Amino acid sequence: MLSLDEVRAVNAPIASAIGLPNRAYVGDEFYSIECQHVMGAGWIGIAFENDVVSPGDLFPVEAAGQPLVVVRDNDDKIRVFHNVCRHRGTTLVDQPCSKRQQIVCPYHAWTYALNGELNATPNFRGPEVRERVAFPRGSQDLVEVRSAIWNHIIMVNLSGSAVPLSQWTQEIDQRWSGYDFADTFPGYDMTYDIDANWKLTLENFLESYHLPTVHPGLNAYSPLHDHEVLVQDRIMGQISLNYQPDDSGKGLPCFPDLPDDRRRRAEYLLLFPNLMLSVTPDHFRVTLVLPSSPRHTHQRWRFFFVGEDCQDDRFSSARTGVANRIDTYTQEDIAILERLQAGRHSSAYDGGRFSPYHETTTHHFQKLVANAIEAAQG
């Protein structure tokens, strides 16, 4: 999938490094490998805790090439299963639904409890024979995926072999320890379908180099020269040191007891491989990056505002103002991302170069991808 020379080129010092080749952004085979060995190997965000509010709520999602279903069971526990019947492989749930007592396959009516246990196999031994077939215990239950909740986000590890989630998130937990995310509440959602590879959407998020040309409005209050970059192991991104938007979002409740240097700061960090996260004095934003093909990415954005009072009607216009501002910049990004995707079909493009000042983040991200693919190749 990647030659040794290509891996070495990405891992070279940034001043001489060459980016991932075009097929990493357009090829079905590459996409299949990275679904398993990049996204599937670690912890990824797939949904939000309140997508399944009550026992019996079901929420289907495609993540890392796998159809999954999030379930809140009768013990009020959130579980994630592979969204496929064990009989003939039918997708079980095709849209969110509420307060179901069980999960019934639409093909042959095999029936599963909310904890994944196979309960019924009607007519399997003949018409009107409804007893459950005595397969070895557990052998035909739904296949559960390792999952956990982190800051309102449902996280999964498809391989089952990643480090514990607390270790995966340790760097960002330490960095953002002064923010009480447990005291934040959802206040606005947005979704986008982008005709671009998932990695391009993240590489764009990771750098502020494009602000003056693509986002002149954003650059007016969060200028390029007031940004710095952060690169650690699993987190990377950009920091606005003088974040002072002047719009209807002003006046929202802020995180309490922030030190002075955080009261005018916004941080935009990727938790590798698929979570775009940002925190400002007055809100926390999560973007789930969920590719469905090498050339298409679905994104779910959720804004969490501070304190229960933030849900009051008196803050409605402020919440909307924040979201509208971000939507404007996102639409600007989408136009560029789709042009970037088109450019990945050009034989004249050889992977590109990285700005040693602005793009250490993008370089680090591509190294993580390349090294995961190399490890998978053996």
Side-chain angles (χ1 to χ4, degrees):
M1 294 302 301
L2 288 176
S3 70
L4 182 58
D5 285 344
E6 287 169 331
V7 174
R8 286 173 175 166
V10 174
N11 278 283
I14 189 169
S16 58
I18 298 174
L20 290 166
N22 282 350
R23 66 182 180 282
Y25 299 87
V26 301
D28 290 331
E29 185 178 0
F30 193 98
Y31 175 71
S32 178
I33 294 293
E34 68 184 0
C35 279
Q36 181 177 358
H37 295 288
V38 179
M39 287 176 283
W43 287 93
I44 58 174
I46 64 163
F48 296 104
E49 197 172 10
N50 66 356
D51 287 331
V52 285
V53 175
S54 303
D57 288 358
L58 314 177
F59 188 85
V61 62
E62 181 179 343
Q66 298 293 312
L68 306 174
V69 60
V70 181
V71 177
R72 190 179 286 269
D73 71 13
N74 288 324
D75 294 324
D76 210 33
K77 178 181 179 181
I78 292 177
R79 299 173 179 266
V80 180
F81 298 101
H82 284 277
N83 186 14
V84 60
C85 180
R86 299 299 304 280
H87 176 216
R88 303 300 299 163
T90 310
T91 300
L92 292 166
V93 183
D94 64 354
Q95 59 186 353
C97 46
S98 298
K99 300 182 180 179
R100 298 297 175 91
Q101 298 301 310
Q102 53 196 3
I103 303 170
V104 181
C105 177
Y107 194 15
H108 297 104
W110 279 33
T111 302
Y112 302 88
L114 298 178
N115 65 2
E117 292 181 0
L118 177 64
N119 275 350
T121 56
N123 304 317
F124 190 79
R125 295 193 185 280
E128 306 304 323
V129 181
R130 302 192 62 82
E131 81 272 11
R132 178 189 179 280
V133 177
F135 296 110
R137 185 173 181 83
S139 68
Q140 298 302 305
D141 293 348
L142 296 183
V143 177
E144 189 163 2
V145 176
R146 186 184 183 197
S147 65
I149 308 298
W150 179 75
N151 290 339
H152 311 295
I153 308 163
I154 299 172
M155 307 285 290
V156 299
N157 169 227
L158 287 162
S159 71
S161 60
V163 299
L165 179 60
S166 59
Q167 185 175 337
W168 191 267
T169 63
Q170 183 177 15
E171 292 171 327
I172 198 164
D173 288 337
Q174 290 176 347
R175 182 170 185 86
W176 287 353
S177 61
Y179 299 91
D180 183 6
F181 296 119
D183 191 38
T184 61
F185 298 84
Y188 210 96
D189 290 359
M190 303 189 298
T191 61
Y192 300 96
D193 287 285
I194 306 170
D195 290 329
N197 184 270
W198 69 283
K199 294 187 295 299
L200 290 177
T201 71
L202 294 175
E203 291 170 14
N204 176 73
F205 172 75
L206 287 171
E207 51 94 344
S208 55
Y209 189 18
H210 66 287
L211 260 59
T213 48
V214 178
H215 306 302
L218 174 58
N219 194 63
Y221 72 81
S222 182
L224 179 62
H225 62 260
D226 279 340
H227 282 71
E228 64 182 24
V229 296
L230 172 74
V231 175
Q232 292 183 347
D233 182 13
R234 294 189 185 95
I235 61 171
M236 64 219 76
Q238 51 175 311
I239 299 166
S240 173
L241 301 175
N242 192 21
Y243 175 82
Q244 298 187 82
D246 185 12
D247 63 14
S248 57
K250 296 186 73 174
L252 283 164
C254 291
F255 287 100
D257 304 320
L258 290 179
D260 289 344
D261 66 336
R262 295 289 177 120
R263 293 176 184 171
R264 290 171 57 179
R265 175 181 294 196
E267 300 197 357
Y268 310 92
L269 301 181
L270 165 66
L271 176 59
F272 187 81
N274 85 319
L275 276 182
M276 290 163 41
L277 305 167
S278 67
V279 66
T280 72
D282 59 20
H283 74 275
F284 169 53
R285 187 171 76 243
V286 178
T287 304
L288 308 177
V289 178
L290 300 167
S292 56
S293 81
R295 297 162 294 277
H296 183 268
T297 303
H298 178 70
Q299 293 187 353
R300 289 187 67 195
W301 295 54
R302 179 159 291 179
F303 295 76
F304 293 89
F305 296 96
V306 181
E308 288 193 75
D309 286 350
C310 75
Q311 301 173 93
D312 290 354
D313 287 344
R314 71 181 187 273
F315 294 117
S316 176
S317 62
R319 296 192 305 265
T320 302
V322 170
N324 287 344
R325 166 162 46 88
I326 302 302
D327 178 65
T328 297
Y329 306 142
T330 303
Q331 298 294 345
E332 293 168 349
D333 278 328
I334 289 173
I336 286 294
L337 287 168
E338 294 184 349
R339 292 176 71 163
L340 280 166
Q341 184 66 33
R344 290 306 186 277
H345 293 275
S346 172
S347 60
Y349 184 72
D350 67 352
R353 303 299 186 272
F354 302 97
S355 162
Y357 184 87
H358 296 288
E359 294 175 307
T360 54
T361 50
T362 306
H363 182 224
H364 183 65
F365 170 74
Q366 290 202 13
K367 287 194 296 182
L368 292 177
V369 172
N371 293 339
I373 296 295
E374 181 190 29
Q377 295 173 168

